[in-house]
Amino acid sequence: MFSKLLILLFLPLVSCLGLLTAGKKATIWAGWIASLVSFLGLGISLYFLQSSLHSPHLFSIEWFQLKEKSFTLSLQTDNLTLVMLVLVHFVALLVQVFSISYLHDDEGRWRYFAFLGLFVFSMLLIVLAGSLFLMYVGWELVGLSSYLLIGFWYHKPRAVWAAKKAFILNRIGDAGFLMGILLLIWLTGTSELSLLIPQFSAPTSSISDPQLTLIGLLLFCGAIGKSAQFPLSAWLPDAMEGPTPVSALIHAATMVAAGIFLVARIYFLLTPDALTVIAIIGAITMVMGAYRAIFQTDIKKLLAYSTVSQLGLMVLGMGVGAREASLFHLVTHAFFKAGLFLSAGVVIHAVHSQDMRQMGNLRHSMKTTFVAYTLCAAALAGLPFFSGFLSKDAILVEVFAWASQRGGIAYVLPIVVLFSAGLTAFYITKQWRLVFLPRPASEKAVHESHIHDADTLMKVPLVILSGLSFFVWFSWNPLDAAQGWVFRLFPTNFSHEWHVIVVICSTIAATTGISLGYICTFNHNIPPFVQQLGVVHESIKKTYEQGWNKVKHHFQVLREHDPETEHYLFLISPLQRIGTWLYHFDSKIVDMTVNGFAYLTVIAAHIVGRFDRMVVDGVVNGAAWLVQFVGSRTRNLQNGQAQSYFVVVLVGIIVVILWVLH
């Protein structure tokens, strides 16, 4: 089995290296090779699912040793791994088949499918990793893959900027993830999940609760980056600059789900305090994503903010203890959101624009896309008889149960979830009507003629993904997922006492949101009370912007891309300001100090040199000259002449007499 697991893991990497080696020669058949590899991987994954379900396996070999500590490469398979293997390969296969037609005129197809192979390999490494350290390796490779795919059209400055933004913001979260891993290794001596689970399942642990809370939150930082949670959610909407199939694969179905997968993997480490923080971050992200989606005019950015909101819902579910329900929503969301993105890709491919204000009345000319988009949108809106209804309600039931145990202010959380569900139904209905239904005469669509629907290669993934948006694939009961296959794979104590209330409340929220979204799509028929809410919203927004404009130049976190100032393609403003300060500090203070010391040193050297020449050398040379002078004079007296000697004797006698008389 281990050999089959290695084949499954390295197949996409081999295809990636092969396509990169072949280069432009592989342009024509690159998509078919990548699709074949994903098809083989899907077959092997289904084999593992059938043969190893409820039978966990662990395979490990020694990697390296550091100070007598052994680090191993370990791969594990359990129910969660098997489901994710099928999900990654299935969505990757559909996206690659779709991409063959979508990018049929792009000369860089060989690079595109090679990068997709690297991405699939990275995701598989995350899913199969038996240790957090090995998972971190896959984590960084996923970041590299997303950078390459988002910036695939490197001739577009905004695409390059978006790729840099995604890469850097993910590095911020990944830094916390790495610190959590290192702290865990320092305190426990290992990052192997198979060793950590028994250690933390024991009644007593050597790690205190504050330390464990810190470790859990640091590890969760990785999920904040990858799953675009507050405050690192800004990169995901801008990542829509990449090809639309990339958005479907990376930013709706798999990569962003890696953060949810990570939280599920480390769930045994999370203390109640850590879970509370996670729930709050998820709630903030959920509401912010849904709110910002309302005001989008870009068809892909609206779906991106929707993804941010849905990921916030999953994180919220993890925080309140609904681990299995969040994983269920991860699966359903992967299908209907990938369907929405691919349908949006067909629309963009046909009208050559992403601006929904230039679309409209596409229902008749794009029938298959219209039906697929409608079904996937219904699942996102949370209508009964669709998969999104089952998974959202499963989370909402647990949120209500969590709030009932705590009481009081805790009930704010389920209310926020219902409000967010209503907003989701509202914005997706507005988008659906704006793109596919006829417009009023005063708001005529720009693109009405020469519109064609998707070809066969595009239609097949749309039909499959929209079909998977129905409830029947997940539970025979259209209103309750408790008996579905997901909760048989991941057993949980489902809170049935809240189920009826949740079904009623969520249905009301969805239908209200859909009704208001349909009515409020165009300005001429917005109800008065909605207009009044809009006025209140605009006044609050204006007040906020006025206050923020006074200080944002000091606290602006990210500078948006501006084609007129290409040197600001992607720079973090505070770091830019700090860099300017450091430059001035270096040039005005450090350089002046160093140069001043240099000048003083040179002056002192000249003084010392002169002292050495004039004083030290002068004394030595003067003594030598004096000895030489006296010696030469004395030598003149010793010349061998008697009269000279008499003169010396006479002078000596005179000197002695004078000295005595004195």
Side-chain angles (χ1 to χ4, degrees):
M1 181 177 177
F2 183 56
S3 59
K4 295 185 179 70
L5 207 60
L6 291 178
I7 293 173
L8 177 68
L9 175 62
F10 286 102
L11 262 178
L13 181 61
V14 171
S15 73
C16 167
L17 297 177
L19 292 175
L20 291 177
T21 302
K24 293 183 179 180
K25 298 177 183 178
T27 299
I28 297 176
W29 43 268
W32 297 105
I33 293 295
S35 300
L36 177 61
V37 168
S38 293
F39 181 77
L40 293 175
L42 178 61
I44 298 174
S45 300
L46 291 172
Y47 166 76
F48 282 141
L49 184 66
Q50 184 271 332
S51 61
S52 302
L53 197 62
H54 302 296
S55 301
H57 293 88
L58 177 66
F59 309 96
S60 61
I61 57 174
E62 187 178 64
W63 189 3
F64 64 91
Q65 285 190 345
L66 183 63
K67 290 186 177 181
E68 300 181 355
K69 284 187 178 180
S70 177
F71 290 83
T72 59
L73 287 172
S74 57
L75 304 178
Q76 68 174 21
T77 59
D78 54 14
N79 289 355
L80 178 57
T81 300
L82 298 175
V83 171
M84 289 298 296
L85 287 177
V86 174
L87 177 65
V88 170
H89 282 103
F90 182 73
V91 177
L93 174 61
L94 295 181
V95 167
Q96 286 166 337
V97 171
F98 183 93
S99 300
I100 294 173
S101 178
Y102 189 84
L103 296 172
H104 62 91
D105 290 331
D106 198 303
E107 296 181 355
R109 295 196 299 277
W110 61 276
R111 284 190 302 111
Y112 173 82
F113 287 104
F115 295 160
L116 283 183
L118 177 62
F119 169 78
V120 174
F121 166 74
S122 307
M123 275 301 303
L124 295 180
L125 187 59
I126 291 175
V127 170
L128 291 169
S131 69
L132 292 175
F133 196 73
L134 183 59
M135 185 184 292
Y136 182 76
V137 176
W139 205 263
E140 293 304 301
L141 287 174
V142 164
L144 172 63
S145 306
S146 65
Y147 170 78
L148 295 173
L149 287 167
I150 295 169
F152 172 70
W153 287 322
Y154 56 84
H155 56 278
K156 297 181 179 180
R158 188 168 179 86
V160 176
W161 167 79
K164 291 179 182 179
K165 185 174 184 178
F167 189 80
I168 292 177
L169 286 186
N170 271 274
R171 298 291 73 70
I172 296 173
D174 294 353
F177 185 25
L178 180 60
M179 286 190 288
I181 294 173
L182 295 177
L183 184 58
L184 187 64
I185 293 175
W186 181 50
L187 294 175
T188 64
T190 183
S191 69
E192 294 289 325
L193 296 171
S194 60
L195 299 177
L196 291 172
I197 292 175
Q199 183 174 341
F200 287 97
S201 300
T204 58
S205 175
S206 59
I207 303 178
S208 63
D209 284 346
Q211 289 176 326
L212 196 55
T213 300
L214 177 61
I215 291 173
L217 292 178
L218 286 173
L219 295 176
F220 177 65
C221 286
I224 291 177
K226 280 290 182 289
S227 292
Q229 297 298 292
F230 175 83
L232 300 180
S233 56
W235 69 269
L236 186 58
D238 292 310
M240 298 301 105
E241 296 297 328
T244 302
V246 169
S247 304
L249 178 64
I250 296 182
H251 307 112
T254 50
M255 173 184 162
V256 293
I260 312 302
F261 176 82
L262 171 64
V263 178
R265 272 281 184 248
I266 64 170
Y267 203 78
F268 65 92
L269 283 170
L270 301 176
T271 63
D273 292 337
L275 289 173
T276 301
V277 173
I278 290 172
I280 293 172
I281 290 177
I284 294 172
T285 307
M286 175 183 63
V287 176
M288 287 182 61
Y291 170 76
R292 297 197 67 178
I294 295 173
F295 305 99
Q296 299 304 311
T297 57
D298 185 302
I299 187 172
K300 287 172 65 177
K301 276 200 172 183
L302 183 144
L303 295 176
Y305 278 112
S306 173
T307 299
V308 172
S309 179
Q310 297 304 303
L311 290 169
L313 176 61
M314 297 178 212
V315 170
L316 169 63
M318 289 287 181
V320 300
R323 174 180 178 270
E324 294 75 16
S326 294
L327 292 173
F328 182 27
H329 193 53
L330 184 154
V331 175
T332 61
H333 176 265
F335 295 139
F336 64 70
K337 185 56 68 67
L340 286 171
F341 266 108
L342 294 184
S343 299
V346 175
V347 173
I348 296 169
H349 196 263
V351 302
H352 306 292
S353 174
Q354 296 182 197
D355 193 338
M356 295 184 293
R357 295 169 296 185
Q358 298 180 3
M359 302 175 188
N361 202 23
L362 300 178
R363 175 181 57 182
H364 299 293
S365 54
M366 307 182 72
K367 294 181 180 178
T368 302
T369 304
F370 169 71
V371 172
Y373 202 94
T374 302
L375 296 177
C376 294
L380 175 61
L383 283 178
F385 303 100
F386 289 92
S387 60
F389 175 85
L390 290 174
S391 55
K392 282 186 178 181
D393 280 19
I395 295 176
L396 195 51
V397 165
E398 296 300 319
V399 175
F400 268 100
W402 178 87
S404 65
Q405 293 175 359
R406 287 156 180 79
I409 196 173
Y411 279 102
V412 171
L413 217 53
I415 294 173
V416 167
V417 176
L418 287 172
F419 176 69
S420 178
L423 289 180
T424 302
F426 177 83
Y427 65 67
I428 197 62
T429 303
K430 281 189 63 177
Q431 185 188 54
W432 173 76
R433 186 181 180 191
L434 201 60
V435 173
F436 292 104
L437 298 190
R439 290 170 171 264
S442 59
E443 301 186 28
K444 198 170 183 63
V446 175
H447 300 281
E448 286 191 355
S449 59
H450 59 78
I451 300 298
H452 58 84
D453 202 358
D455 59 20
T456 303
L457 283 178
M458 290 186 183
K459 284 181 179 178
V460 170
L462 294 184
V463 171
I464 294 174
L465 291 169
S466 59
L468 290 171
S469 298
F470 285 105
F471 73 93
V472 69
W473 302 103
F474 303 96
S475 173
W476 290 108
N477 187 338
L479 302 179
D480 188 3
Q483 303 304 318
W485 61 266
V486 173
F487 291 102
R488 290 199 298 272
L489 284 180
F490 310 107
T492 183
N493 296 322
F494 212 70
S495 304
H496 295 281
E497 63 271 15
W498 287 96
H499 181 258
V500 175
I501 296 175
V502 166
V503 168
I504 295 172
C505 292
S506 63
T507 303
I508 292 173
T511 52
T512 303
I514 290 173
S515 302
L516 289 175
Y518 189 88
I519 295 171
C520 300
T521 303
F522 304 108
N523 295 327
H524 70 282
N525 58 354
I526 297 178
F529 78 93
V530 177
Q531 292 180 355
Q532 191 61 37
L533 287 175
V535 172
V536 174
H537 170 267
E538 288 300 323
S539 63
I540 296 173
K541 181 181 178 182
K542 185 177 180 181
T543 304
Y544 167 78
E545 288 178 348
Q546 288 176 347
W548 176 241
N549 285 335
K550 296 178 181 179
V551 295
K552 73 176 184 179
H553 64 283
H554 295 297
F555 298 100
Q556 186 181 13
V557 177
L558 294 176
R559 188 180 298 278
E560 293 296 330
H561 174 269
D562 185 357
E564 297 179 359
T565 56
E566 293 297 337
H567 59 288
Y568 287 140
L569 261 162
F570 179 70
L571 289 172
I572 298 179
S573 187
L575 296 182
Q576 191 179 6
R577 188 178 298 275
I578 292 171
T580 304
W581 291 341
L582 291 176
Y583 169 76
H584 289 300
F585 178 80
D586 184 63
S587 60
K588 299 292 179 61
I589 297 178
V590 177
D591 286 354
M592 288 180 63
T593 303
V594 173
N595 293 336
F597 275 115
Y599 293 144
L600 291 175
T601 303
V602 171
I603 293 171
H606 282 294
I607 294 173
V608 170
R610 288 181 179 274
F611 179 83
D612 185 63
R613 289 193 302 273
M614 298 178 66
V615 178
V616 178
D617 288 352
V619 171
V620 174
N621 294 335
W625 176 84
L626 181 62
V627 171
Q628 183 183 12
F629 176 79
V630 173
S632 63
R633 296 299 178 268
T634 305
R635 184 172 63 248
N636 291 333
L637 296 175
Q638 302 293 328
N639 53 13
Q641 297 178 2
Q643 59 270 30
S644 297
Y645 298 153
F646 288 136
V647 172
V648 171
V649 171
L650 179 60
V651 172
I653 292 171
I654 293 171
V655 170
V656 171
I657 292 171
L658 291 174
W659 179 72
V660 172
L661 293 176
H662 182 272

